[in-house]
Amino acid sequence: MNGLKYWIFGIMTLGLLVSFTYQNIFKQTGNASYYSSKFQGRRTASGTPYHKDSMYCAHKSLKYGTLLRVTNLKNDSTIIVKVVDRMGKSSPHIIDLSFSGAQKLNFVRSGITKVQVEEIIPVAKAD
């Protein structure tokens, strides 16, 4: 009987962990643009210097340091970027990527593309 009690507790705990893990995941779809070359070397809102070869982005509301998976919905290419800057609230775009990010998503020529943005929550490895 004692073993059964721990087994039930383990199932209840697991259920809580699973629901907590999926509850706060951020997902958004919309248009993405990329930084102009005139921002090269300038400080971002977080204080990090912008470099066109970094995998950085600006977002309207997500915390600095948040990792995002960005998928170009026109060609299914995917990148992972870090939020280091803030966008204007009135921007029609959901994310502003570094030049390198735009290159890897293959939309430099068009300047704007439709993307899906998903938050990545790092998970500690159990050794």
Side-chain angles (χ1 to χ4, degrees):
M1 186 68 173
N2 228 3
L4 180 61
K5 186 185 333 178
Y6 289 113
W7 186 76
I8 292 172
F9 176 74
I11 290 175
M12 289 184 348
T13 304
L14 181 62
L16 291 173
L17 288 175
V18 170
S19 63
F20 177 75
T21 303
Y22 289 102
Q23 186 177 13
N24 293 328
I25 293 189
F26 175 85
K27 196 180 243 187
Q28 191 175 24
T29 303
N31 286 332
S33 56
Y34 65 94
Y35 282 86
S36 167
S37 59
K38 74 179 182 180
F39 293 107
Q40 177 69 16
R42 293 187 187 178
R43 293 224 176 265
T44 62
S46 67
T48 306
Y50 170 72
H51 193 276
K52 68 178 185 173
D53 294 330
S54 300
M55 297 302 285
Y56 291 155
C57 73
H59 193 272
K60 293 177 185 179
S61 61
L62 292 174
K63 293 190 315 186
Y64 300 134
T66 301
L67 297 176
L68 302 173
R69 177 183 301 119
V70 182
T71 304
N72 185 339
L73 297 177
K74 293 182 179 179
N75 61 21
D76 287 332
S77 53
T78 301
I79 60 170
I80 295 175
V81 294
K82 183 178 182 179
V83 177
V84 296
D85 207 0
R86 206 49 80 217
M87 293 177 65
K89 298 283 185 193
S90 62
S91 174
H93 306 218
I94 63 168
I95 194 168
D96 201 8
L97 298 167
S98 63
F99 181 76
S100 180
Q103 279 183 317
K104 291 183 178 176
L105 289 180
N106 300 311
F107 76 93
V108 171
R109 186 175 288 225
S110 64
I112 296 171
T113 193
K114 188 163 185 167
V115 296
Q116 180 176 20
V117 175
E118 297 173 90
E119 182 178 1
I120 297 173
I121 299 174
V123 178
K125 285 187 175 181
D127 291 327

